């Protein structure tokens, strides 16, 4: 950082320097104000970095240090302002040599003094800052130490508590075990009692049963005798029935076969009229002759539509004769020569 | 331990016996006359019928049996046996060997004989139920040489009704518009013909467009739209005499005439008040009553069979949809909600369905909407369809479509199961209208 | 030293504000100038074409209808539109007498506005002249509904003409719907030629 001294005037004439001075002072004030505003926002060094260098030690002390620095600068500025020169020198008189020398010397001295004062201020500030820094450091260390201590203390306390806790738990456990054992014992005792009672009861009942059984036994034997007689009779009947049933099943099969044939033939022959609605239904009664020819077909339930009824009749007539009738066993034949046909196209179409 | 001891009633052997007995009883019961076999399937095929060529057909100007056979086939209800497959040609009931015809799976047989008379012919015919081997009809018709086709159609009507219980529509007529030429040199014609397209008769020719022919309920007059005055105007013309009157001459569109079921009023679409609206004109005094009032297009009115409401096309919801206007309440309610284009609605004669043009993802097709359920079913297979017109017996829908770049008339059954195409005329044919029962 | 720094600071403070001020003034001035220039360009097509034309009107700044040639070239009337500017002679019925429409739409497309404008000028200039606007549709859909659609298109043109000051006594509207197609057949190339309004004098 370089120190630059503004050129000072040879002579201080208050009149000619009034306005410049005022302006200069005003400017200095403005800058000062700006520098003040700026400083709290950032940690950077202020505009005139030549005077002081402040280094951050910790957050806590930041503003303190900054404050210090600004104060220092204030002091420095104040010192500067006093002998404030104009920006341009105005030599309106040529001084004598001696005067010049004295002025020079005085200048030098003043300059050197200033230098020293600045240095001193700098040093002070630095020292201050260092001291502060150190202090801060020490405080921080102490704080850390204390913290550590506290933690250690806490840890110890915790350990102690843990031990106590464990002990308590163990005791509780022991207690529980004891109680459980007692309960078990009591239960066992009760159980034993109950068993004994049940046993006694059973013995009693068994005796009673035996007596009753004997009496019943006798009765049973008598009935069994009767039963055997009946069953023999029934068995004979049953055999007869079974045979009949077998025959009936066979007949049923044949009949079903014939019915299926009739159904298929009529369905194949049935031409459903175009205007038939899905809800129409007609039932015909059909009587066949011995060779399966149609003897009579009558409309038992009309569909309400003549052409629909007619189509049903025609279907039967067209499907006949049902010659398979002759293949049925005689009994079935007579039964199946009369049946109904219900025609319902429904939604199959 | 004590075990309860009962009598032998629940002994296993006894239970078995009881069960068997019960089963046998039941079985024997069902084996009695109350057995009901359920028939739940059949086929939708048309009825096989044999129309045997009539005796005395040679030398007659028309083959009556062939006309009947074609009528029955076009209806979609019948599947006539080809003449080549007939092993015999009986002409009366007592000559029919039912068993043989049954083996061909023919259900019905029509036989007949014609005799020349002083002023024409007399035709006797028998309709026979082959499966039941019994006669169904025994009738006779007489006709002059010129009206043999009409006689044949009357026979078709009788056969059709005897078997299906539906009144035959073979003796009705159709009206249609023809257009020949290109650009500004098109010749237009309005014609009427038999329902099978024969015997066409010119009603009007013009070098200006003709549209929307509509039969009066008595089948004697046609209302239509003609541009002959360089503007669309509605005319009413007597079919027989050709006499006609101009019914309207309003500014803007005069279109879509529709006769009320009692024949006294005509509904129409007029844009004289700013945009097309539905009006009803009383034919007696020519007074008009306005039905709709809004900023959208309202057109193509058509009366319900009971005369109490009309279906019409309106794009008040953004695109054309069908609405129903009830005369008593003066309110219109929307009918169609399927798709973005539903137009030109026509009531079926039973009042339960509306036939219309519906734009599907395939194109513009004839569809049927059931009023009760709101269900819409596409009927046609073609995709440039217009102007559906329902047969008076409700079985078929006649409409205009395109085939090979030409306008042709086609018909599809209302249940969608069958269709036929009318013979293509010269030029384009469009705007069909099926007459009422005549 | 602080005072030296302060003095140098003084001089710079005095200079800097001036420069900044001058600079910002210059910038502001130039912005103002630029803005003034660009605003004059937007209102080139000052005439309003009526509210119903939803299609962007003068946005492309093609008042003379240069887009007309591009759009209507396929319809064989390309030369007509580009000479629209040159057709100052309002004593002649304009050559182009057909304008075309999008499917199911009655909006006059921007490329045809010049055509309608030409007819408007002619009709305004010749108060005795009468025009019949004939509206058409393609053949899809039902016939009577198409009659109504054709009328809508013709009415749209009539409204346009009236907004341009043409008396409605000079303009008549007739719809042919799908009748009298200009092109036969199916497919968009035929359909697009049929969706039209023609000026018939």
């Amino acid at each position: 950082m370089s120190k630059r001294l503004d050129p000072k005037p040879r002579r201080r004439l208050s009149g000619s320097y009034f306005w410049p001075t005022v302006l200069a002072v005003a400017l200095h004030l403005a800058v000062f104000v700006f520098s003040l505003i700026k400083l709290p926002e950032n940690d950077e060094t202020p505009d005139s970095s030549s005077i002081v260098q402040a280094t951050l030690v910790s957050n806590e002390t930041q503003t303190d240090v900054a404050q210090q620095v600004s104060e220092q600068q204030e002091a420095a500025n104040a010192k500067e302002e006093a002998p404030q020169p104009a920006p341009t020198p105005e030599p309106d008189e040529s001084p004598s040599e001696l005067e010049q020398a004295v002025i020079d010397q005085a200048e030098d001295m003043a300059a050197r003094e200033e230098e020293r004062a600045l240095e001193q201020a700098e040093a002070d500030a630095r020292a201050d800052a260092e001291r502060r820094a150190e202090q801060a450091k020490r405080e921080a260390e102490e704080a850390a130490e204390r913290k550590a201590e506290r933690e250690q203390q806490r840890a110890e306390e915790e350990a102690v508590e843990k031990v106590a806790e464990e002990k308590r738990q163990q005791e509780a456990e022991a207690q529980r075990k004891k109680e459980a054992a007692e309960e078990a014992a009591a239960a066992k005792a009760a159980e034993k009692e109950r068993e004994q009672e049940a046993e006694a009861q059973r013995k009693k009942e068994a005796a009673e049963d035996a007596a009753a059984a004997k009496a019943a036994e006798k009765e049973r034997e008598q009935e069994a005798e009767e039963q055997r007689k009946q069953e023999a009779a029934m068995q004979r009947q049953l055999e007869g029935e079974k045979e009949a049933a077998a025959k009936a099943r066979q007949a049923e099969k044949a009949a079903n076969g014939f019915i299926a044939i009739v159904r298929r033939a009529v369905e194949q022959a049935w031409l459903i009229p175009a205007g038939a609605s899905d809800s129409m239904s007609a039932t015909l009664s059909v009587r066949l002759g011995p060779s399966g020819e149609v003897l009579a077909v009558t409309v038992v339930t009309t569909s309400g539509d003549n052409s629909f009824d007619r189509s049903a009749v025609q279907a039967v007539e067209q499907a006949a004769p049902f010659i398979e009738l002759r293949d049925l066993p005689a009994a079935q034949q007579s039964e199946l020569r009369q049946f109904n046909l219900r025609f319902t196209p429904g939604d199959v179409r | 331990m004590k075990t309860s001891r009962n009598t032998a009633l629940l002994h296993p052997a006894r239970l078995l016996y009881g069960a068997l007995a019960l089963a046998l009883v039941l079985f024997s019961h069902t084996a009695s006359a109350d057995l009901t076999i359920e028939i739940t399937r059949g086929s939708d095929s048309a009825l096989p019928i044999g129309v045997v060529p009539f005796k005395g057909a040679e030398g007659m100007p028309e083959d009556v049996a062939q006309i009947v056979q074609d009528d029955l086939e076009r209806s979609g209800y019948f599947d006539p046996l080809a003449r080549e497959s007939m092993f015999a040609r009986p002409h009366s009931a007592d000559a029919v060997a039912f068993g043989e015809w049954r083996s061909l799976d023919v259900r019905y047989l029509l036989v007949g004989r014609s005799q020349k008379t002083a002023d024409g012919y007399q035709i006797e015919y028998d309709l026979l139920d082959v499966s039941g081997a019994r006669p169904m009809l025994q009738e006779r018709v007489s006709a002059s040489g010129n009206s043999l086709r009409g006689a044949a159609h009357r026979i078709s009507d009788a056969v059709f009704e005897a078997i299906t219980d539906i009144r035959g529509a073979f003796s009705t007529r159709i009206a249609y518009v023809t257009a020949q030429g290109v650009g500004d040199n098109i010749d237009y014609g309005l014609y009427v013909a038999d329902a099978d397209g024969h015997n066409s008769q010119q009603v009007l020719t013009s070098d200006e467009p003709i549209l929307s022919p509509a039969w009066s309920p008595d089948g004697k007059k046609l209302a239509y739209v003609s541009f002959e005055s360089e503007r669309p105007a509605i005319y009413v013309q007597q079919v027989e005499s050709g006499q006609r009157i101009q019914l309207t001459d309003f500014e803007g569109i005069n279109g879509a005439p529709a006769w009320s079921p009692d024949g006294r009023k005509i509904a129409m679409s007029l844009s004289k008040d700013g945009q097309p609206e539905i009006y009803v004109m009383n034919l007696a005094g020519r007074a008009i009553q306005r039905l709709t009032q809004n900023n959208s297009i309202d057109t193509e009115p058509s009366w319900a069979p009971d005369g109490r409401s009309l279906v019409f096309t309106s794009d008040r919801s953004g695109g054309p949809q069908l609405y129903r206007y009830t005369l008593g309440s003066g309110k219109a309610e929307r009918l169609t909600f399927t798709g973005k284009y539903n137009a030109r609605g026509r009531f079926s004669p039973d009042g339960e369905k509306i036939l219309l043009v519906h734009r599907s993802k395939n194109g513009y097709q004839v569809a049927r909407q059931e009023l009760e359920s709101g269900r819409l079913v596409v009927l046609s297979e073609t995709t440039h369809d217009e102007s559906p017109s329902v047969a008076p017996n409700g079985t078929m829908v006649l409409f205009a479509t395109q085939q090979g770049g030409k306008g042709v008339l086609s018909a599809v059954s209302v249940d969608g199961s069958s269709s036929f195409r009318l013979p293509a005329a010269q030029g384009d044919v469009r705007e069909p209208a099926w007459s009422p029962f005549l | 030293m602080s005072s030296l720094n302060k003095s140098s600071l003084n001089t710079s403070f005095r200079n800097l504000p001036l420069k900044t001020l001058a600079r910002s003034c210059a910038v502001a001035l130039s912005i103002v100038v630029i803005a003034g220039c660009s605003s004059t360009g937007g209102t080139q097509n000052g005439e309003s074409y009526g509210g119903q034309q939803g299609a962007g009107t003068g946005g492309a700044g093609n008042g003379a209808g240069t887009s007309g040639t591009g759009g209507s070239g396929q319809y064989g009337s390309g030369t007509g539109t580009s000479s629209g500017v040159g057709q100052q002679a309002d004593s002649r019925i304009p050559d182009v007498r057909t304008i075309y429409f999008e499917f199911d739409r009655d909006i006059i497309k921007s490329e045809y506005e010049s055509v309608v404008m030409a007819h408007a000028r002619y009709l305004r200039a010749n108060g005795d002249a009468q025009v019949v606007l004939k509206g058409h549709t393609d053949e899809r859909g039902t016939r009577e509904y198409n009659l109504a659609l054709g009328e809508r298109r013709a009415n749209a043109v009539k409204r346009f003409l009236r907004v341009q000051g043409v008396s409605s006594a000079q303009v008549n509207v007739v719809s042919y719907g799908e009748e009298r197609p200009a092109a036969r057949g199916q497919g968009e190339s035929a359909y697009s030629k049929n969706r039209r309004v023609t000026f018939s004098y």
Side-chain angles (χ1 to χ4, degrees), chain A residues 220 269 306 317 320 340 342, chain B residues 5 38 102 107 134 165:
Chain A
R220 238 183 298 145
N306 278 344
E317 287 175 342
N340 292 339
R342 178 156 55 214
Chain B
R5 183 65 57 80
E38 300 285 345
R102 255 176 59 127
R107 302 296 179 97
R134 69 178 83 89
D165 279 341

Side-chain angles (χ1 to χ4, degrees), chain B residues 182 184 188 207-209 211-212 225 227 252-253 255-256 271 276 297 300 315 320 341 343-344 357 359 364 384 386 402 405 428 430-431, chain C residues 103-104 134 139-149 151-152 155 172-182 184-186 191 196:
Chain B
V182 282
D184 281 347
Y188 298 89
D207 49 9
E208 295 286 341
L211 304 100
S212 306
V225 176
F227 276 74
I253 293 175
S271 68
I297 293 173
E300 298 171 336
D315 66 0
Y341 189 113
R344 193 44 165 84
V357 174
R359 184 174 72 204
Y364 296 85
H384 288 83
E386 289 176 356
Q402 300 268 343
D428 290 332
R430 73 273 289 261
E431 300 286 271
Chain C
F103 176 61
D104 210 26
K134 298 188 176 175
E139 53 119 37
R140 291 176 287 185
T142 61
R143 220 161 268 266
E144 288 276 356
Y145 183 74
N146 281 340
L147 213 56
L149 277 183
E151 187 181 69
R152 253 206 200 137
N155 277 338
N172 298 298
V173 162
V174 174
S175 169
Y176 283 86
E178 63 181 89
E179 309 296 326
R180 296 197 182 284
R184 278 184 67 89
Q186 299 159 13
Y191 295 157
R196 67 199 192 282

Side-chain angles (χ1 to χ4, degrees), chain B residues 1-3 41 112 158 197 233 236 251 257 265 306 333 338 403 423-424:
Chain B
M1 195 162 355
K2 223 188 212 148
T3 42
R41 258 197 296 237
V236 174
E251 275 254 353
K265 301 184 276 273
D306 66 359
E333 58 155 328
T338 314
Q403 189 198 17

Side-chain angles (χ1 to χ4, degrees), chain A residues 59-337:
Chain A
N59 280 343
E60 287 161 34
T61 55
Q62 173 190 354
T63 41
D64 290 344
V65 170
Q67 195 61 36
Q68 291 275 326
V69 166
S70 72
E71 277 165 19
Q72 289 288 350
Q73 188 184 353
E74 229 182 284
N77 284 349
K79 278 202 204 116
E80 266 186 48
E81 277 174 50
Q84 186 50 42
T88 52
E90 283 178 47
D92 36 19
E93 277 181 43
S94 46
S96 66
E97 257 191 58
L98 184 58
E99 279 185 343
Q100 188 59 43
V102 167
I103 290 170
D104 281 346
Q105 209 182 31
E107 272 187 35
D108 279 338
M109 271 182 55
R112 255 179 273 134
E113 263 190 49
E114 260 195 58
E115 270 190 53
R116 241 180 288 133
L118 279 169
E119 278 184 31
Q120 183 64 34
E122 235 178 81
D124 282 342
R126 242 182 290 140
D128 240 343
E130 281 184 33
R131 232 183 306 130
R132 295 236 160 233
E134 272 196 48
Q135 196 178 11
K137 210 193 280 174
R138 245 180 291 134
E139 280 182 2
E141 278 175 20
E142 277 176 22
E145 259 189 56
R146 258 176 283 141
K147 197 163 166 208
E149 266 190 47
R150 253 180 285 142
E151 277 195 29
Q152 202 187 4
Q153 219 179 18
R154 238 180 289 143
E156 284 176 11
E157 283 177 0
E158 270 179 25
V160 168
E161 254 204 55
K162 218 186 259 180
V163 171
E165 180 70 34
E166 274 186 39
K167 193 157 166 222
R168 249 178 288 140
Q169 273 186 11
Q170 279 175 352
E171 284 178 4
E173 186 72 40
Q175 179 68 17
R176 247 180 288 140
K177 278 203 188 121
K178 195 163 122 200
E179 284 178 352
E182 283 176 5
E183 272 182 27
K188 230 185 245 169
E191 182 74 33
K192 216 173 184 153
E193 236 186 79
R194 250 180 286 137
E195 268 178 33
Q196 285 175 341
E197 280 183 19
E199 187 69 44
Q201 181 71 10
R202 247 177 287 141
K203 281 204 185 111
K204 196 165 122 200
E205 281 183 353
E208 285 180 349
D209 275 344
K214 262 204 201 113
E217 182 76 37
K218 246 208 169 117
E219 225 186 278
R220 238 183 298 145
E221 275 176 22
Q222 282 176 344
E223 280 185 12
E225 189 62 50
E226 261 186 54
Q227 182 79 352
R228 250 172 274 139
K229 285 200 201 126
Q230 270 182 17
E231 274 181 9
M234 237 174 57
Q235 191 69 10
R236 263 172 277 138
Q237 225 180 46
L238 210 60
E239 299 236 358
E241 296 285 347
K242 248 195 244 172
E243 239 185 74
K247 274 211 200 108
R249 251 173 288 142
Q250 251 176 16
E252 196 185 339
K253 222 164 142 192
N256 282 343
F258 177 73
I259 289 169
I261 288 171
V262 167
R263 185 189 306 119
R264 228 176 304 136
V266 171
E267 281 180 355
Q268 270 173 11
W270 187 27
L271 296 175
I272 308 175
S277 72
D278 292 345
S279 58
M280 278 187 192
S281 177
T283 309
L284 310 180
S285 160
V286 177
R287 192 152 55 86
L288 301 178
S291 318
E293 72 276 21
V294 173
L295 293 181
V297 50
T298 47
V299 178
V300 171
T301 314
T302 174
S303 63
D305 185 312
N306 278 344
S307 73
F308 186 91
D309 293 347
R310 252 205 306 277
S311 72
V313 170
Q314 225 192 44
V316 176
E317 287 175 342
Q318 187 75 11
F322 304 104
I323 52 182
E324 294 82 0
L325 182 72
R326 272 217 279 252
D327 301 336
L328 290 176
Q332 256 56 57
Q333 277 193 39
S334 49
E335 276 167 7
L336 288 174
R337 279 171 59 180

Side-chain angles (χ1 to χ4, degrees), chain B residues 135-191:
Chain B
M136 287 181 71
L137 276 183
Q138 212 164 28
E139 303 284 342
R140 69 178 66 161
V141 293
S142 31
S144 68
N146 293 338
S147 57
L148 274 175
R149 292 197 73 93
H153 294 317
R154 271 178 280 147
I155 296 175
S156 308
D157 285 337
V159 168
F160 189 85
E161 186 164 350
I163 294 173
T164 66
D165 279 341
I166 301 171
R167 184 170 171 184
F170 303 106
S171 303
T172 56
R173 299 172 95 185
I174 60 173
Y176 54 91
V177 174
T178 60
Q180 259 189 293
V182 282
D184 281 347
N185 288 327
I186 302 182
D187 289 325
Y188 298 89
L190 176 63
Y191 290 82

Side-chain angles (χ1 to χ4, degrees), chain B residues 263-316:
Chain B
R264 295 206 217 139
K265 301 184 276 273
I266 291 188
M268 56 187 66
S269 179
L270 305 173
S271 68
K272 64 184 183 66
D273 292 327
Q275 61 284 321
E277 306 280 9
I278 309 291
Y279 296 77
V280 173
M281 174 182 280
N282 215 303
L283 286 174
R286 308 282 185 95
I288 57 169
Q289 174 198 355
R290 181 171 175 170
L291 298 189
T292 61
Q293 184 130 13
N294 50 50
N295 283 335
S296 55
I297 293 173
D298 297 308
T299 183
E300 298 171 336
S302 173
W303 296 76
D306 66 359
R308 286 198 234 147
S309 62
L310 295 99
V311 66
F312 66 97
T313 309
S314 173
D315 66 0
R316 60 187 67 177

